[in-house]
Amino acid sequence: EVQLQASGGGLVQAGGSLRLSCVTSGFAFGRYAITWFRQAPGKEREGISCISSLDGRSYYDNSVKGRFTISSDNAQSTVYLQMNNLNPDDTAVYYCAAYYGAAPMAWMLPGGYEHWGQGTQVTVSS
């Protein structure tokens, strides 16, 4: 059974940090790119960071570049998202998703992802 379990969300003050985890199982982790998406109320789901197991490359949306860091532990089939200097605009439900192969050019769009996890809520207070 394929599973992507996102966790680590919570309530934090502006300027604070959180570390999200995406624990995966049931598929060949090393052959997939894993992307973190987020969706705020009334807004579309957007990709914010992606890591490609096949070539080790990572990608960031401009809105989080310099504040968020994506990493992976291939032995544990887990991807992390370290989020620093959070602001209220980061408030959203965060999801992780798996794309077969290297990260696509349009990694930030939700189409084409094979597996999705449930979300974890991140709330940043001002």
Side-chain angles (χ1 to χ4, degrees):
E1 180 186 4
V2 172
Q3 288 191 336
L4 289 86
Q5 185 77 26
S7 63
L11 173 63
V12 64
Q13 287 189 331
S17 298
L18 286 173
R19 188 195 196 202
L20 304 185
S21 298
C22 176
V23 180
T24 76
S25 62
F27 62 95
F29 181 82
R31 296 180 182 178
Y32 282 76
I34 304 294
T35 296
W36 284 99
F37 288 83
R38 67 184 180 188
Q39 188 165 19
K43 294 188 176 182
E44 294 185 351
R45 191 169 296 190
E46 59 176 357
I48 57 171
S49 187
C50 174
I51 190 163
S52 182
S53 296
L54 285 178
D55 57 19
R57 294 182 178 181
S58 57
Y59 307 86
Y60 297 92
D61 182 76
N62 285 338
S63 64
V64 305
K65 196 174 293 184
R67 300 187 299 124
F68 293 8
T69 302
I70 194 169
S71 62
S72 68
D73 182 337
N74 288 355
Q76 300 295 324
S77 299
T78 300
V79 172
Y80 303 98
L81 187 68
Q82 178 66 42
M83 306 188 297
N84 298 329
N85 194 22
L86 287 160
N87 62 64
D89 289 338
D90 296 316
T91 295
V93 178
Y94 284 68
Y95 303 86
C96 54
Y99 183 95
Y100 183 75
M105 286 189 64
W107 61 265
M108 70 292 293
L109 300 178
Y113 281 83
E114 191 172 323
H115 308 299
W116 287 84
Q118 92 300 346
T120 185
Q121 176 71 47
V122 172
T123 303
V124 184
S125 63
S126 56

